[in-house]
Amino acid sequence: AYVEKYKFTSVVAQDLLDSFLSFFPELKEQSVDCRAGPPLAEPDLSQGSSLTRPVEALFQLWTAEPLDQAAASASAIDISKWRTFQTALFLDRLLDGSPLPQEVVMSLSKCYSSLLDSMNAEIRIRWLQIVVRNDYYPDLHRVRRFLESQMSRMYTIPLYEDLCTGALKSFALEVFYQTQGRLHPNLRRAIQQILSQGLGSSTEPASEPSTELGKAEADTDSDAQALLLGDEAPSSAISLRDVNVSA
């Protein structure tokens, strides 16, 4: 009856309440809509600190010195028995603290990367963002595999944004070229915009590159623009030169 009455129209909360009370006049007579006080059901939050305390303790271990002692203590904690939100919170804390010392990221990867790889996308995206924000090349193959299998905007966009703000833009271009055919057109355009930021934005006349690095960067920009504007395959200039991403 509610749908039939309000279909194709806009309603506000009061409309819903009025409609509900019209079907239950005894509640209206009891003036339940005018009562003030606590909700009928209050959630039990008493376990909150007991669940977040071990998360914070583990994060503090990983940021303590000396690292070898901290890592040994941290690795003794089995996070596989944690609830999903605890693992997500732990990774969020690491994300907030990034960039981290490279030896810390290396130890984190050794301790957790295989385990996190078997968890859901909410967990994996957080770990892979840590990998990208810390330029941890040994785990880039996990980033590639994730982007090859995930076509959801909520998981692909954050990774591409992180890749393009650091030193891994050529890697992002390479992965995008290989996966763009499987992406929804709207998502593909959104990623193209991310990848195209900063390419050819200079308004000053281009000078001849004086070094091999300068030439490589010029080739990368040129090939990237061709990739983002058309369907041509990129030349080898935009492939990841210094990292074996298939390792």
Side-chain angles (χ1 to χ4, degrees):
Y2 174 83
V3 173
E4 189 63 29
K5 180 178 180 180
Y6 292 109
K7 65 182 179 182
F8 310 125
T9 64
S10 298
V11 296
V12 296
Q14 190 61 45
D15 295 327
L16 172 61
L17 181 59
D18 291 342
S19 181
F20 181 81
L21 292 176
S22 69
F23 278 88
F24 301 98
E26 66 277 12
L27 295 179
K28 188 172 182 63
E29 292 171 3
Q30 297 171 22
S31 301
V32 295
D33 54 327
C34 300
R35 290 181 183 176
L40 298 178
E42 294 183 347
D44 180 10
L45 302 178
S46 60
Q47 289 188 342
S49 60
S50 66
L51 294 172
T52 59
R53 195 179 301 116
V55 175
E56 186 62 28
L58 183 59
F59 171 73
Q60 294 299 333
L61 278 175
W62 279 109
T63 54
E65 295 182 356
L67 176 62
D68 53 350
Q69 295 181 14
S73 300
S75 60
I77 300 176
D78 185 7
I79 70 170
S80 66
K81 293 180 168 53
W82 279 5
R83 298 185 184 181
T84 300
F85 87 88
Q86 289 177 291
T87 308
L89 178 60
F90 171 58
L91 296 175
D92 282 340
R93 295 287 280 121
L94 292 172
L95 264 176
D96 291 339
S98 295
L100 300 163
Q102 197 67 192
E103 58 270 20
V104 171
V105 183
M106 186 182 304
S107 296
L108 284 167
S109 176
K110 182 178 179 181
C111 192
Y112 301 125
S113 61
S114 296
L115 172 64
L116 298 176
D117 237 6
S118 65
M119 296 186 178
N120 64 35
E122 286 292 333
I123 299 298
R124 292 169 64 198
I125 180 65
R126 287 168 165 82
W127 169 244
L128 296 178
Q129 284 185 282
I130 293 171
V131 168
V132 171
R133 291 186 189 182
N134 289 277
D135 296 330
Y136 187 62
Y137 293 161
D139 270 357
L140 276 184
H141 67 283
R142 301 181 192 277
V143 178
R144 175 190 291 276
R145 187 168 68 244
F146 186 83
L147 289 175
E148 287 175 345
S149 62
Q150 282 291 338
M151 304 298 138
S152 169
R153 185 185 188 92
M154 66 185 296
Y155 298 130
T156 53
I157 292 294
L159 265 182
Y160 274 108
E161 287 177 337
D162 284 345
L163 285 166
C164 290
T165 56
L168 297 171
K169 191 163 190 175
S170 56
F171 171 79
L173 283 162
E174 181 182 326
V175 175
F176 173 71
Y177 173 72
Q178 295 171 350
T179 61
Q180 61 173 330
R182 303 198 297 273
L183 301 175
H184 186 280
N186 289 341
L187 177 57
R188 184 165 61 244
R189 284 192 291 270
I191 297 174
Q192 285 174 327
Q193 290 178 350
I194 294 171
L195 293 170
S196 64
Q197 290 176 3
L199 296 179
S201 59
S202 175
T203 57
E204 296 181 4
S207 58
E208 287 294 323
S210 57
T211 65
E212 288 300 319
L213 178 59
K215 291 179 181 178
E217 290 176 347
D219 288 344
T220 298
D221 277 7
S222 176
D223 288 334
Q225 287 175 325
L227 167 63
L228 297 173
L229 295 175
D231 298 324
E232 292 296 322
S235 72
S236 59
I238 73 164
S239 62
L240 199 60
R241 300 178 181 83
D242 303 321
V243 184
N244 182 4
V245 296
S246 61

